[in-house]
Amino acid sequence: MKWSVHQLYKLQKKGLQINEDVDLYDLVQNHPDLREITPVHVQGHADISSMKVIFHLTITGEMTLPCARTLVDVKYPFEIRTSETFLFSSDEYETSEQTHVVQGEVIDLMPIIHELVLLEIPLQVFSDEEENKQEAAPQEGKFWKLINEEEQQNKIDPRLASLAKLLDKKENDS
């Protein structure tokens, strides 16, 4: 996913179509929450002019992350749509997050793809699958139990239980 500026000038009239699978396995080694990532599919095209190149990309793939509650593997599909602009000269335009000035004679999209995929990693994912209970972290132990919101709403605080009985008794007497 590298092109020299000279190659891009030659493709100025034809245009550049991108349709590649990229292996980002090195992200797994560098990110503690990322357990696995499938080869990422990068698709799009480039609009090339004499002053800049704009890459319109769609990046799709699937990463495996740990469930925040049970630590089982959760498949997390992602799709990123972006437009990245590379300026051949920084004097012409104002730069922004999606605008890059070409350093040297080569445009490399891999650092940008790495960054976009890393930004797509959510803070927490939750597994809804019940079949992974054997692999999951324990749901209860001595003096504790994991409960959901519904159970919590229906539960009466033990400190107020005798008060609730007193109120029920008053309602029954009336």
Side-chain angles (χ1 to χ4, degrees), residues 7-18:
Q7 285 176 316
L8 292 172
Y9 278 137
K10 285 183 178 178
L11 295 171
Q12 192 170 358
K13 291 184 178 161
K14 293 182 196 175
L16 174 64
Q17 296 295 320
I18 301 168

PDB file of all heavy atoms in Angstrom, residues 7-18:
ATOM      1  N   GLN A   7       4.723   7.575  -9.487  1.00  0.00           N
ATOM      2  CA  GLN A   7       3.705   6.595  -9.911  1.00  0.00           C
ATOM      3  C   GLN A   7       2.316   7.218  -9.899  1.00  0.00           C
ATOM      4  O   GLN A   7       1.512   6.980 -10.798  1.00  0.00           O
ATOM      5  CB  GLN A   7       3.702   5.381  -8.977  1.00  0.00           C
ATOM      6  CG  GLN A   7       4.823   4.419  -9.145  1.00  0.00           C
ATOM      7  CD  GLN A   7       4.752   3.316  -8.091  1.00  0.00           C
ATOM      8  OE1 GLN A   7       4.505   3.581  -6.920  1.00  0.00           O
ATOM      9  NE2 GLN A   7       4.998   2.088  -8.530  1.00  0.00           N
ATOM     10  N   LEU A   8       2.036   7.999  -8.884  1.00  0.00           N
ATOM     11  CA  LEU A   8       0.717   8.625  -8.773  1.00  0.00           C
ATOM     12  C   LEU A   8       0.495   9.657  -9.872  1.00  0.00           C
ATOM     13  O   LEU A   8      -0.614   9.775 -10.401  1.00  0.00           O
ATOM     14  CB  LEU A   8       0.539   9.255  -7.390  1.00  0.00           C
ATOM     15  CG  LEU A   8       0.450   8.257  -6.244  1.00  0.00           C
ATOM     16  CD1 LEU A   8       0.474   8.980  -4.901  1.00  0.00           C
ATOM     17  CD2 LEU A   8      -0.790   7.404  -6.361  1.00  0.00           C
ATOM     18  N   TYR A   9       1.551  10.399 -10.233  1.00  0.00           N
ATOM     19  CA  TYR A   9       1.410  11.346 -11.340  1.00  0.00           C
ATOM     20  C   TYR A   9       1.071  10.617 -12.643  1.00  0.00           C
ATOM     21  O   TYR A   9       0.291  11.107 -13.456  1.00  0.00           O
ATOM     22  CB  TYR A   9       2.684  12.171 -11.525  1.00  0.00           C
ATOM     23  CG  TYR A   9       2.802  13.352 -10.593  1.00  0.00           C
ATOM     24  CD1 TYR A   9       4.002  13.639  -9.965  1.00  0.00           C
ATOM     25  CD2 TYR A   9       1.723  14.191 -10.341  1.00  0.00           C
ATOM     26  CE1 TYR A   9       4.131  14.728  -9.107  1.00  0.00           C
ATOM     27  CE2 TYR A   9       1.828  15.287  -9.491  1.00  0.00           C
ATOM     28  CZ  TYR A   9       3.032  15.539  -8.878  1.00  0.00           C
ATOM     29  OH  TYR A   9       3.141  16.612  -8.026  1.00  0.00           O
ATOM     30  N   LYS A  10       1.667   9.439 -12.839  1.00  0.00           N
ATOM     31  CA  LYS A  10       1.372   8.653 -14.045  1.00  0.00           C
ATOM     32  C   LYS A  10      -0.077   8.169 -14.061  1.00  0.00           C
ATOM     33  O   LYS A  10      -0.685   8.023 -15.109  1.00  0.00           O
ATOM     34  CB  LYS A  10       2.308   7.443 -14.134  1.00  0.00           C
ATOM     35  CG  LYS A  10       3.704   7.783 -14.542  1.00  0.00           C
ATOM     36  CD  LYS A  10       4.517   6.507 -14.667  1.00  0.00           C
ATOM     37  CE  LYS A  10       5.925   6.800 -15.114  1.00  0.00           C
ATOM     38  NZ  LYS A  10       6.741   5.570 -15.186  1.00  0.00           N
ATOM     39  N   LEU A  11      -0.648   7.901 -12.875  1.00  0.00           N
ATOM     40  CA  LEU A  11      -2.027   7.404 -12.770  1.00  0.00           C
ATOM     41  C   LEU A  11      -3.059   8.528 -12.695  1.00  0.00           C
ATOM     42  O   LEU A  11      -4.237   8.268 -12.494  1.00  0.00           O
ATOM     43  CB  LEU A  11      -2.157   6.517 -11.531  1.00  0.00           C
ATOM     44  CG  LEU A  11      -1.352   5.230 -11.527  1.00  0.00           C
ATOM     45  CD1 LEU A  11      -1.397   4.576 -10.164  1.00  0.00           C
ATOM     46  CD2 LEU A  11      -1.892   4.282 -12.591  1.00  0.00           C
ATOM     47  N   GLN A  12      -2.622   9.756 -12.872  1.00  0.00           N
ATOM     48  CA  GLN A  12      -3.502  10.907 -12.696  1.00  0.00           C
ATOM     49  C   GLN A  12      -4.722  10.845 -13.613  1.00  0.00           C
ATOM     50  O   GLN A  12      -5.835  11.126 -13.191  1.00  0.00           O
ATOM     51  CB  GLN A  12      -2.710  12.190 -12.940  1.00  0.00           C
ATOM     52  CG  GLN A  12      -3.414  13.443 -12.532  1.00  0.00           C
ATOM     53  CD  GLN A  12      -2.480  14.646 -12.579  1.00  0.00           C
ATOM     54  OE1 GLN A  12      -1.307  14.533 -12.879  1.00  0.00           O
ATOM     55  NE2 GLN A  12      -3.015  15.798 -12.271  1.00  0.00           N
ATOM     56  N   LYS A  13      -4.558  10.463 -14.852  1.00  0.00           N
ATOM     57  CA  LYS A  13      -5.687  10.420 -15.786  1.00  0.00           C
ATOM     58  C   LYS A  13      -6.494   9.122 -15.665  1.00  0.00           C
ATOM     59  O   LYS A  13      -7.701   9.120 -15.836  1.00  0.00           O
ATOM     60  CB  LYS A  13      -5.189  10.592 -17.208  1.00  0.00           C
ATOM     61  CG  LYS A  13      -4.686  11.985 -17.453  1.00  0.00           C
ATOM     62  CD  LYS A  13      -4.282  12.221 -18.860  1.00  0.00           C
ATOM     63  CE  LYS A  13      -3.841  13.673 -18.965  1.00  0.00           C
ATOM     64  NZ  LYS A  13      -3.038  13.942 -20.108  1.00  0.00           N
ATOM     65  N   LYS A  14      -5.833   8.015 -15.358  1.00  0.00           N
ATOM     66  CA  LYS A  14      -6.507   6.715 -15.234  1.00  0.00           C
ATOM     67  C   LYS A  14      -7.257   6.595 -13.910  1.00  0.00           C
ATOM     68  O   LYS A  14      -8.297   5.968 -13.832  1.00  0.00           O
ATOM     69  CB  LYS A  14      -5.498   5.567 -15.302  1.00  0.00           C
ATOM     70  CG  LYS A  14      -4.829   5.371 -16.602  1.00  0.00           C
ATOM     71  CD  LYS A  14      -3.909   4.163 -16.478  1.00  0.00           C
ATOM     72  CE  LYS A  14      -2.903   4.097 -17.583  1.00  0.00           C
ATOM     73  NZ  LYS A  14      -1.961   3.001 -17.386  1.00  0.00           N
ATOM     74  N   GLY A  15      -6.680   7.131 -12.869  1.00  0.00           N
ATOM     75  CA  GLY A  15      -7.228   6.938 -11.528  1.00  0.00           C
ATOM     76  C   GLY A  15      -6.614   5.704 -10.899  1.00  0.00           C
ATOM     77  O   GLY A  15      -5.966   4.897 -11.567  1.00  0.00           O
ATOM     78  N   LEU A  16      -6.815   5.547  -9.640  1.00  0.00           N
ATOM     79  CA  LEU A  16      -6.238   4.415  -8.899  1.00  0.00           C
ATOM     80  C   LEU A  16      -7.343   3.724  -8.128  1.00  0.00           C
ATOM     81  O   LEU A  16      -8.034   4.346  -7.324  1.00  0.00           O
ATOM     82  CB  LEU A  16      -5.152   4.925  -7.937  1.00  0.00           C
ATOM     83  CG  LEU A  16      -4.533   3.908  -6.986  1.00  0.00           C
ATOM     84  CD1 LEU A  16      -3.779   2.843  -7.758  1.00  0.00           C
ATOM     85  CD2 LEU A  16      -3.623   4.597  -5.992  1.00  0.00           C
ATOM     86  N   GLN A  17      -7.538   2.450  -8.405  1.00  0.00           N
ATOM     87  CA  GLN A  17      -8.513   1.625  -7.682  1.00  0.00           C
ATOM     88  C   GLN A  17      -7.754   0.755  -6.682  1.00  0.00           C
ATOM     89  O   GLN A  17      -6.715   0.184  -7.022  1.00  0.00           O
ATOM     90  CB  GLN A  17      -9.306   0.731  -8.644  1.00  0.00           C
ATOM     91  CG  GLN A  17     -10.162   1.498  -9.631  1.00  0.00           C
ATOM     92  CD  GLN A  17     -11.267   2.277  -8.942  1.00  0.00           C
ATOM     93  OE1 GLN A  17     -11.879   1.804  -8.000  1.00  0.00           O
ATOM     94  NE2 GLN A  17     -11.501   3.494  -9.417  1.00  0.00           N
ATOM     95  N   ILE A  18      -8.282   0.656  -5.480  1.00  0.00           N
ATOM     96  CA  ILE A  18      -7.642  -0.127  -4.417  1.00  0.00           C
ATOM     97  C   ILE A  18      -8.605  -1.229  -3.998  1.00  0.00           C
ATOM     98  O   ILE A  18      -9.771  -0.965  -3.701  1.00  0.00           O
ATOM     99  CB  ILE A  18      -7.298   0.757  -3.200  1.00  0.00           C
ATOM    100  CG1 ILE A  18      -6.362   1.886  -3.624  1.00  0.00           C
ATOM    101  CG2 ILE A  18      -6.687  -0.073  -2.083  1.00  0.00           C
ATOM    102  CD1 ILE A  18      -6.188   2.957  -2.585  1.00  0.00           C
TER     103      ILE A  18
END
